[in-house]
Every structure is written in C-alpha cells, then in structure tokens.
C-alpha cells in the first residue's frame, strides 16, 4: 500500500513539474498561437527556387533558411524546395503573388513582366563594376524597385547578385555584334530578347532547365546566361564558344508574399530581415569570385573563351543602343528615372 501511495505521489509531482516547465517555455498569444520562450510564433514558410543547388545564390539561400529556423528555436520553420522541385522559374512569380508559396527566388528579368522597371538590370552596359550594383540596390535606386514590387504584392527581402551575363554558342566565335547574324539564341526575358535582335540573332525564350537539351538538339544555337549557371548546367558539353562581354548584371530576388508578410509578428519579421541582410552581403561577396572562377573552369573543360577587349566595347554598346528605348517605352516614368540614376554614376 505504501509503495502504491509513493508511486501516486511521485506521478502527481512529476506531472506538476512538467506542466510548469511547459508553461514557462511555451505560451500562447492572444490568437491562441503557440510561441516559445523567445516569443516566436510557430509558422511554416515554404521557400522555392530554381537554380542549381551548388550555385552561390542557392548556397546563400539555403543558409538563410537554416539560420532563420535555428535562431527561432525551430518555431519559424523555413522549408526549402530547391532546383525547381516545387515550381519552375516561369511559374514562380504567379504562385508567390497568389499565395501558392510563401517565399520564392527568381530573376529580376522574369519579375520585369510584373514590374517592368525591374528590367533595368538587363539594359546593356549600365553597370560597369560589382561595387556599383551594390551601391545602387542599397540606396534610393533599390528603394524605388522595392516599393514597386510591394505595390504588386511581393516584398523584396534580398537582392541576390547573380553576376554578369555572357553569351555561349556552338556555331562560331562571337567577336563582334555582326557575328550574331542568323543565330537562334536562348533568351531569359524581354529586354535580353531586344538585345539579341539588335545584334542580328533570333531570341528563343525558355526556362533554365530546358536549355541543355535545346542546345544538344540544335533547337537553339546558343544561350545567354551567367558563367556560374553555364558551368553547373554543363554548357561545356553542348556549346563550344563563350564570349565574355559583361553586357548585363543580373539580380535574383528573394521575395515573400506581402499579405503573408503583413500577418507575421514583428519579432518574426525582424528576425527574417536581419538574416536576409546578412545573406545579401555574403552573396554579393561571392558573385565576383564565382564569375571569374566559373569562366576559367569552362575554358579548362574545353570551351573557347573570347574576352571582348575594352577598346572594342563601344562597338557593342552602339549596336545595343535601341534596347534602351525599348526599356523606357515599357517601363514608363520609373524606368526613365532609374536609367537617369545609373547614367549619373
């Protein structure tokens, strides 16, 4: 009998202790949502991207997701769907704006169909070096783009530097704009298509995951992309020539559905923004390193690399001049304002 009473007393005490621990470590807010001792409400955020997982932007985004989850004690659970597992780059924006996914990473080029001024990053030869881009997106230039995106329903958390964009093809070296004549070149958006046409080639729009097979089957003769993606998507197996002319500096945006964002507690928003800022700095530091490294590796793998000499760039810029008009026509007053800001740099 004494043994039974002892067990009962122990059970009651243990239960009270567990309850006390639970109450001190987990609370509920006024809506009844569970929070941990740091005050984070439990929420799950799906984050999708389409780049290869070993791309420097992907590495940064994966670390961002891990850091947010860990800093919140697992309460803010950022679940990553990489390399097109959940959404293609062509479907990403609509899904994000409609709330089909909470967060997503996609190129500024593809966002230009929603916010035409975002095409500024594709206007040829407006950013001469890596530092200029960082200064622009961290200042008034970037604020104007962030505001335009929020009006459409997407909050920009990170401008992720992809790096400079180049041309690869399997027909001939492209040593001047006239060498593009008659080629079919994979394009990544409207403004790059205008450039391809200005150089005398025909643009063919397709998602990043489709390019390798299109090159292999001669559906297209070449493609425009960064050397980082060219390396990871094995362009060296299906193209022979690489032209380095740094014609545009591409950004990828980590965005979150605005309605979803507005519903998050301020503490969670602050954690996400702080981590995003750290991630943006890290990705920007990697862009220049990876551009140089990947171009060298493509050459080592057998591609014939031609770097356009500085003295020849005026010819390339002059041939590309009509693209600026196409951009300002589509992007309105904001596009003109952004272009004027970059021209003053």
């Amino acid at each position: 009998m004494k043994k039974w009473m002892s067990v009962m007393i122990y059970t009651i005490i243990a239960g009270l202790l567990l309850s006390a621990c639970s109450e001190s470590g987990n609370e509920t807010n006024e809506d009844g949502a569970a929070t941990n001792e740091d005050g984070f409400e439990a929420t799950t955020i799906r984050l999708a991207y389409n780049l290869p997982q070993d791309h420097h932007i992907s590495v940064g985004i994966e670390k961002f997701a891990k850091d947010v989850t860990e800093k919140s004690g697992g309460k803010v659970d950022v679940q990553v769907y990489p390399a097109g597992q959940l959404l293609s780059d062509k479907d990403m924006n609509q899904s994000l704006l409609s709330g089909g996914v909470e967060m997503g990473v996609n190129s500024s080029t593809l966002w230009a169909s929603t916010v035409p001024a975002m095409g500024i990053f594709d206007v040829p030869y407006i950013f001469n070096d890596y530092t200029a881009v960082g200064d622009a997106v961290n200042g008034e230039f970037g604020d104007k783009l962030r505001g335009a995106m929020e009006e459409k329903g997407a909050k920009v958390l990170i401008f992720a530097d992809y790096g400079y964009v180049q041309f690869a093809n399997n027909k001939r070296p492209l040593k001047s704009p006239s060498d593009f004549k008659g080629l079919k070149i994979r394009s990544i958006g409207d403004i790059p298509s205008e450039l391809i046409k200005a150089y005398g080639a025909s643009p063919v729009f397709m998602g990043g995951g489709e390019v390798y097979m299109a090159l292999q089957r001669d559906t297209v003769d070449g493609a425009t992309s960064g050397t980082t993606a060219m390396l990871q998507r094995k362009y060296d197996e299906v193209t022979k020539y690489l032209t380095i002319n740094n014609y545009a500096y591409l950004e990828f945006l980590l965005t979150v559905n605005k309605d979803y964002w507005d519903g998050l507690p301020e503490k969670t928003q602050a954690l996400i923004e702080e981590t995003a800022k750290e991630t943006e700095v890290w990705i920007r530091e990697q862009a220049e390193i990876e551009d140089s490294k990947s171009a060298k590796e493509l050459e080592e793998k057998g591609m014939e690399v031609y770097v356009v000499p500085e003295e020849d760039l005026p010819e390339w810029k002059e041939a590309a001049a009509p693209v600026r008009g196409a951009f300002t026509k589509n992007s309105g007053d904001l596009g003109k304002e952004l272009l004027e800001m970059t021209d003053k740099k």
Side-chain angles (χ1 to χ4, degrees):
M1 183 72 176
K2 288 182 179 179
K3 184 177 180 182
W4 180 84
M5 285 294 291
S6 297
V7 171
M8 283 291 292
I9 292 169
Y10 174 79
T11 302
I12 292 168
I13 292 172
L16 289 171
L17 287 171
L18 284 171
S19 176
C21 289
S22 175
E23 287 175 7
S24 65
N26 294 282
E27 302 173 352
T28 58
N29 66 5
E30 58 188 12
D31 297 321
T35 65
N36 67 5
E37 60 185 4
D38 293 321
F40 291 105
E41 291 184 16
T43 188
T44 299
I45 302 174
R46 294 165 300 164
L47 193 169
Y49 68 83
N50 198 258
L51 288 164
Q53 281 182 273
D54 53 352
H55 193 280
H56 70 273
I57 290 179
S58 305
V59 173
I61 293 300
E62 294 276 358
K63 187 176 187 305
F64 162 82
K66 181 182 177 185
D67 287 350
V68 169
T69 302
E70 289 182 351
K71 289 177 183 177
S72 68
K75 285 292 182 180
V76 184
D77 182 17
V78 184
Q79 298 179 353
V80 181
Y81 296 86
Q85 287 180 8
L86 185 62
L87 292 163
S88 71
D89 47 8
K90 290 188 287 187
D91 297 330
M92 182 75 70
N93 297 351
Q94 186 54 45
S95 181
L96 192 138
L97 292 173
S98 66
V101 68
E102 290 77 38
M103 281 188 190
V105 181
N106 214 2
S107 70
S108 53
T109 305
L110 289 177
W111 272 112
S113 62
T114 303
V115 176
M118 197 60 78
I120 185 71
F121 295 103
D122 292 310
V123 176
Y125 310 106
I126 64 169
F127 290 115
N128 297 320
D129 58 63
Y130 295 86
T131 304
V133 185
D135 291 343
V137 299
N138 287 324
E140 184 184 4
F141 176 97
D143 289 341
K144 288 181 179 295
L145 287 173
R146 279 184 278 268
M149 287 286 285
E150 289 194 23
E151 287 178 9
K152 295 295 184 179
K155 177 179 175 61
V156 178
L157 294 171
I158 295 175
F159 278 99
D161 287 22
Y162 180 90
Y164 280 105
V165 190
Q166 320 297 352
F167 287 103
N169 86 100
N170 52 27
K171 295 297 182 183
R172 55 182 175 266
L174 303 177
K175 296 187 175 183
S176 73
S178 61
D179 291 327
F180 283 74
K181 190 173 182 180
L183 297 181
K184 294 175 292 182
I185 304 288
R186 176 257 178 162
S187 175
I188 52 180
D190 292 340
I191 299 301
S193 292
E194 292 296 327
L195 176 64
I196 290 167
K197 287 189 285 186
Y199 283 167
S202 300
V204 180
F205 179 75
M206 63 180 64
E210 306 170 67
V211 181
Y212 181 94
M213 192 164 289
L215 288 164
Q216 190 178 50
R217 295 179 174 178
D218 290 327
T219 305
V220 293
D221 302 309
T224 182
S225 188
T227 52
T228 51
M230 287 181 185
L231 180 65
Q232 286 145 0
R233 297 193 189 278
K234 302 183 186 301
Y235 276 31
D236 55 283
E237 296 180 355
V238 286
T239 60
K240 184 176 179 181
Y241 306 103
L242 170 62
T243 295
I244 305 283
N245 65 342
N246 291 352
Y247 79 84
Y249 193 91
L250 195 61
E251 291 286 337
F252 271 65
L253 313 180
L254 172 62
T255 54
V256 57
N257 176 277
K258 185 66 166 55
D259 288 339
Y260 175 79
W261 175 260
D262 290 343
L264 290 174
E266 288 185 11
K267 190 174 184 68
T268 301
Q269 291 180 347
L271 169 64
I272 291 172
E273 288 188 314
E274 175 191 328
T275 309
K277 190 175 294 185
E278 295 168 358
T279 304
E280 183 174 273
V281 171
W282 184 87
I283 290 174
R284 185 155 296 129
E285 289 171 349
Q286 303 309 304
E288 184 171 3
I289 297 169
E290 293 298 326
D291 271 358
S292 176
K293 179 181 171 185
S294 55
K296 196 171 296 183
E297 286 189 47
L298 287 168
E299 186 170 25
E300 290 170 356
K301 286 176 176 288
M303 290 191 75
E304 184 179 308
V305 178
Y306 177 73
V307 179
V308 177
E310 188 74 28
E311 60 269 22
D312 290 351
L313 279 176
E315 178 189 1
W316 291 75
K317 292 178 180 180
E318 185 179 350
V323 182
R324 293 171 70 97
F327 169 71
T328 53
K329 181 180 178 181
N330 292 331
S331 59
D333 291 340
L334 178 56
K336 291 176 185 175
E337 190 175 356
L338 293 174
L339 205 52
E340 288 172 2
M341 291 172 74
T342 60
D343 286 342
K344 291 176 183 177
K345 299 293 183 183

